[in-house]
Amino acid sequence: MSWTHAFDGSPDAELKSTLPSDFHWGFATAAAQVEGAWNKDGKGESIWDRFCHTPGKVKDGSTNEDATCAYDLYKQDVTLMKSFGVTAYRFSLAWSRLIPLGGAEEPVNETGVEYYNNLIDELVTNGITPFVTLFHWDTPQALEDRYGGMLNQDKYTTDFVRYARLCFERFGDRVKHWITYNEPGVYTLAGYAAGVHAPARSSFRDRNDEGDSSTETFIVAHTELVSHAHAVKVYREVFKEKQGGQIGITLHGNYSEPWDANDPKDVAAAQRAREFEIAWFADPIYGHGDYPRSMRDQLGNRLPSFTDEERALVKGSSDFYGMNTYTTFFVRHLDGPADINDHLGNVEKLDTNSEGKSRGAESDTYWLRTAPEGFGKLLRWIWDRYHVPIYMTENGTTAKGEHVEAPPPERVLNDTFRVEFFHSYLRELARAVQDGVDVRSYFGWTFTDNWEWAAGYEDRFGCTWIDFKSEHKTRYPKRSSYFLRDYFRHLIKGT
């Protein structure tokens, strides 16, 4: 089934040709969520391979052993993406597929290199620009076992930089858009503060055997910032002139609105929440070169300090602002001292404000609601604070009622809720561009339904429905794929 008139152009006439002709759009994925082939052709174990094979860690008891079989079906997927009209595809490399044991002195798996070369070639041949993420949460398990992974900044940085250099060497002749880390904050918060993601460390002994949420979270974040900057330094000094690419980092962050807009404490709390979530990584890179003052005031010496060398290395270490965002929360100030394991800025996040206004329509994911107005505000907040080009690298939604048996009925494939989500958010993006915000890409999350980390197969974010029970994970395009195709033709000049 296809929707040849998913968007006819009559609405939003004032937004026609708002986006530049070289604007990139497409879908984003992560290796651990789509590739499958978790131990095939020499691939080493990652922390997510270990996590999902540990009973009780994944909501539906599933593993990523097969995921969407993208490792075997990449040609089919590229053909499908091309039919959707995408101009770019953002995907991540599995570190342990390229260097199975992860370390700087460990052997390279040439079969893994060949796979990514084939994928990149297939994209380029079909006119799709590759955006490549080096790290999307899947540290090689061997490094975790050997020295604690990111908890050991010196050893980890050496290994990560060698991995990055290998990728630049082998793929940089065709890859011109590099992202070092995807959502370093989510990786640390879920993996080391809450302990609900790999590597499953926290202070909560009913959940994790090891970890300290009050300190490890910030140690790991510091390691990510410093290792990111070292990898960027290598790219800029050794590869950039010849290869002519860009390199940066992608940060997460949802918008925070004050619960009571007339209460100065809630207004300050919303700003503080944005700083704890976003400026935590963005200020050292794009701002004044250090963590936000609000974080230092609450956390004291539990928040690491940059050496002079680290500060100089990290500041300016991204050619663009990679932006992942999904929703908005109402934020209320909390009186009294913050809990030692607090990572939000001593605030409460709520679904309605003081006047009873909801933050948006509910999706099939408890934390995610449609909130386009906050998205527009966040684009402007980031632009005003940092004034660097923004690449929207993830944005999307789940929709209720998509957990059905194959073949999916028309009501599932006609995913009106997701279409309305994309439409409302992209309107805000186009309006922000009209107001002078420099936005250069948009990647929907995600191409197909996938293995959604600790949620397993229970969160369907895809613009393509997957029959996970079928041997070859049969793909069924949803209307949202064709809507994005048609709407970007409306928004982008010359299309």
Side-chain angles (χ1 to χ4, degrees):
M1 184 181 297
S2 67
W3 288 267
T4 55
H5 300 291
F7 178 77
D8 64 10
S10 53
D12 307 335
E14 77 282 4
L15 300 179
K16 183 170 176 58
S17 301
T18 296
L19 304 181
S21 59
D22 59 354
F23 189 92
H24 298 282
W25 84 269
F27 297 105
T29 64
Q33 295 182 262
V34 299
E35 284 183 2
W38 74 290
N39 60 357
K40 184 177 179 180
D41 294 339
K43 181 184 175 296
E45 185 183 23
S46 77
I47 60 173
W48 273 98
D49 297 330
R50 175 72 59 88
F51 183 93
C52 71
H53 286 90
T54 304
K57 294 296 186 183
V58 178
K59 187 175 180 181
D60 61 0
S62 65
T63 72
N64 67 350
E65 289 186 8
D66 296 322
T68 72
C69 295
Y71 181 82
D72 295 307
L73 301 179
Y74 72 92
K75 288 188 177 182
Q76 175 183 326
D77 283 344
V78 172
T79 298
L80 187 56
M81 277 187 274
K82 185 176 182 180
S83 75
F84 294 159
V86 308
T87 63
Y89 176 47
R90 177 183 169 232
F91 62 96
S92 76
L93 309 176
W95 184 345
S96 61
R97 194 177 295 285
L98 292 168
I99 308 172
L101 297 177
E105 305 302 324
E106 310 286 1
V108 173
N109 176 24
E110 294 297 338
T111 306
V113 173
E114 181 183 14
Y115 165 69
Y116 290 118
N117 270 324
N118 289 341
L119 172 58
I120 292 166
D121 286 346
E122 192 72 15
L123 291 166
V124 173
T125 298
N126 284 277
I128 299 172
T129 300
F131 278 63
V132 174
T133 304
L134 295 175
F135 182 87
H136 200 132
W137 304 357
D138 49 352
T139 311
Q141 183 64 44
L143 304 187
E144 197 71 25
D145 294 340
R146 193 176 304 159
Y147 54 72
M150 292 188 193
L151 290 170
N152 190 319
Q153 179 179 312
D154 290 342
K155 291 183 178 179
Y156 173 86
T157 298
T158 298
D159 290 341
F160 179 74
V161 170
R162 186 277 180 117
Y163 161 60
R165 181 186 285 268
L166 171 71
C167 297
F168 303 149
E169 289 173 344
R170 300 299 188 92
F171 313 126
D173 58 327
R174 288 148 294 154
V175 175
K176 307 303 176 186
H177 301 273
W178 292 101
I179 295 166
T180 54
Y181 284 94
N182 176 78
E183 297 184 345
V186 175
Y187 176 77
T188 64
L189 291 170
Y192 294 84
V196 294
H197 279 192
R201 297 179 63 89
S202 78
S203 296
F204 308 110
R205 291 295 166 260
D206 59 333
R207 190 181 303 158
N208 308 115
D209 294 334
E210 297 179 308
D212 182 345
S213 304
S214 71
T215 58
E216 290 187 0
T217 311
F218 306 108
I219 292 169
V220 167
H222 199 80
T223 294
E224 288 174 300
L225 280 166
V226 173
S227 59
H228 148 79
H230 276 288
V232 170
K233 184 174 186 289
V234 168
Y235 183 77
R236 287 175 173 172
E237 291 183 352
V238 180
F239 299 96
K240 185 177 178 66
E241 182 177 357
K242 181 178 180 180
Q243 295 180 353
Q246 293 182 302
I247 189 166
I249 193 168
T250 278
L251 306 180
H252 84 289
N254 295 308
Y255 195 64
S256 295
E257 291 271 23
W259 181 75
D260 183 349
N262 297 314
D263 186 338
K265 288 186 177 181
D266 286 351
V267 173
Q271 174 72 5
R272 191 166 66 250
R274 292 191 290 269
E275 291 178 349
F276 265 70
E277 187 173 17
I278 300 170
W280 177 16
F281 290 88
D283 273 11
I285 295 173
Y286 307 104
H288 61 284
D290 204 351
Y291 296 116
R293 171 51 57 186
S294 59
M295 295 188 72
R296 184 67 67 188
D297 289 344
Q298 176 176 319
L299 301 170
N301 61 12
R302 288 189 286 122
L303 188 66
S305 295
F306 290 98
T307 67
D308 290 343
E309 180 185 5
E310 288 174 344
R311 181 177 288 105
L313 190 70
V314 170
K315 185 174 171 58
S317 61
S318 188
D319 296 331
F320 53 84
Y321 189 103
M323 178 178 170
N324 288 2
T325 191
Y326 290 83
T327 193
T328 294
F329 290 93
F330 292 114
V331 168
R332 182 163 57 187
H333 170 77
L334 291 178
D335 290 319
D339 183 271
I340 193 170
N341 291 320
D342 175 70
H343 304 90
L344 302 178
N346 203 22
V347 303
E348 182 181 15
K349 291 187 171 184
L350 299 163
D351 290 333
T352 56
N353 69 5
S354 61
E355 298 176 348
K357 177 184 176 183
S358 169
R359 64 187 180 94
E362 295 182 18
S363 69
D364 198 41
T365 303
Y366 73 94
W367 56 266
L368 175 52
R369 296 194 181 192
T370 303
E373 183 179 348
F375 173 58
K377 291 180 179 180
L378 184 58
L379 281 168
R380 291 167 176 83
W381 187 83
I382 288 171
W383 176 251
D384 291 342
R385 189 175 179 108
Y386 304 118
H387 215 75
V388 292
I390 296 171
Y391 282 78
M392 273 299 310
T393 43
E394 273 187 37
N395 181 238
T397 189
T398 56
K400 294 181 179 181
E402 294 193 347
H403 298 283
V404 296
E405 295 295 318
E410 182 176 353
R411 66 169 179 82
V412 169
L413 298 182
N414 184 17
D415 55 339
T416 302
F417 183 86
R418 186 174 287 102
V419 168
E420 291 176 350
F421 178 98
F422 283 133
H423 191 190
S424 63
Y425 277 63
L426 287 170
R427 273 200 306 256
E428 291 297 328
L429 184 150
R431 289 167 181 163
V433 170
Q434 286 182 326
D435 290 344
V437 180
D438 186 356
V439 186
R440 301 186 180 183
S441 76
Y442 181 91
F443 291 91
W445 187 266
T446 179
F447 170 50
T448 62
D449 296 332
N450 59 29
W451 187 78
E452 192 62 34
W453 308 110
Y457 294 112
E458 295 202 0
D459 279 0
R460 288 182 177 266
F461 277 88
C463 290
T464 305
W465 194 89
I466 294 279
D467 179 5
F468 289 115
K469 294 182 179 179
S470 63
E471 181 181 358
H472 299 296
K473 313 300 180 190
T474 307
R475 278 94 161 117
Y476 296 84
K478 302 175 189 177
R479 177 186 167 203
S480 54
S481 297
Y482 300 98
F483 167 78
L484 287 172
R485 174 199 65 191
D486 294 347
Y487 197 46
F488 275 112
R489 287 174 180 171
H490 178 75
L491 293 177
I492 297 174
K493 292 178 183 177
T495 58

